[in-house]
Amino acid sequence: MMRRTIIRYLVLTQAIVFRDVAAGVRRRFPTMNHLVTAGLMTEKELDEFDSVVSNNPKYWVPMHWLFSLIRVAKEEGKIPGEIVYVDLMEKIRQYRVQVLSLTLYDWVPVPLVYTQVVHLAVRSYFAVGLLGRQYLQPGPNRNISIDSAKTIDLYVPVMSILQFIFFVGWMKVGLNVVDNNYDKFPNLVRDQFWEDTIPEPLYTAESAQRPINPQVGSCVEL
């Protein structure tokens, strides 16, 4: 039974995460009670899940049960040796990280990172320009003619070279600004909410009227 429960907790974690990021899963399990009906969790487990007070999504709760269950199995001698125990915990940890990474991809819109967009835009622009700015010599049966004596960049694309230098130079300057501020942070001090169990942010009269957009899955409101 312990082995089946461990597998069920893994599937339960996946289902809870998928409910918030996948429209099909959200329609299949619109509420947590539907997970109970499907057999992914019991009524008692649902009550235990609801008893956990958190302002953030509780994706971690089934994994907490799972790690505790594995520890109990180790203490009861059902897992032979420390190597198997550590390897099992590491594999489940990797599973948890991969599943919860889906929420991060769902929260962050594309493009993901500014530097990736800049690199892609600059290189794509000059890849197209490399072909689009080539001068074509017309064939003998065509009426189009090019006066090469008056075309200064027929052999040396001067303007393209200047654009490449300027664009790549600006890109490198922007990256240096980002790199120079990497791993810099102020000294750690206790903030004004240190003594509060559940801190409440302070709002002005204007900001209190603005809608709150928490970081939740895109399918939560379906």
Side-chain angles (χ1 to χ4, degrees), residues 2 6 64-79 85 88-89:
M2 186 174 294
I6 290 175
H64 174 71
W65 298 342
L66 175 58
F67 285 122
S68 300
L69 190 60
I70 294 177
R71 181 180 56 81
V72 172
K74 176 63 175 61
E75 294 175 352
E76 294 180 355
K78 296 181 179 180
I79 299 178
Y85 172 71
L88 179 61
M89 296 288 279

Side-chain angles (χ1 to χ4, degrees), residues 20-79:
D20 289 352
V21 300
V25 179
R26 188 71 181 189
R27 287 191 291 267
R28 174 63 179 85
F29 303 108
T31 64
M32 295 297 294
N33 289 324
H34 287 79
L35 295 175
V36 177
T37 304
L40 296 181
M41 65 189 313
T42 63
E43 291 284 353
K44 185 177 180 180
E45 290 170 349
L46 179 59
D47 294 338
E48 185 72 20
F49 184 88
D50 292 336
S51 65
V52 177
V53 179
S54 176
N55 294 328
N56 301 310
K58 296 182 288 187
Y59 306 134
W60 54 270
V61 174
M63 298 304 299
H64 174 71
W65 298 342
L66 175 58
F67 285 122
S68 300
L69 190 60
I70 294 177
R71 181 180 56 81
V72 172
K74 176 63 175 61
E75 294 175 352
E76 294 180 355
K78 296 181 179 180
I79 299 178

Side-chain angles (χ1 to χ4, degrees), residues 109-178:
V110 178
L112 298 178
V113 183
Y114 168 76
T115 56
Q116 294 178 357
V117 177
V118 172
H119 278 277
L120 180 62
V122 172
R123 284 160 174 77
S124 300
Y125 175 81
F126 284 104
V128 175
L130 180 64
L131 301 177
R133 294 181 179 179
Q134 291 182 358
Y135 287 89
L136 302 178
Q137 295 291 349
N141 298 326
R142 300 181 62 182
N143 296 325
I144 302 176
S145 62
I146 297 179
D147 189 359
S148 60
K150 296 181 181 179
T151 307
I152 62 174
D153 58 348
L154 177 61
Y155 300 104
V156 180
V158 178
M159 297 305 299
S160 297
I161 292 176
L162 292 177
Q163 284 186 340
F164 181 83
I165 294 174
F166 293 150
F167 281 35
V168 174
W170 291 333
M171 181 182 67
K172 295 299 182 181
V173 170
L175 294 179
N176 288 333
V177 172
V178 175

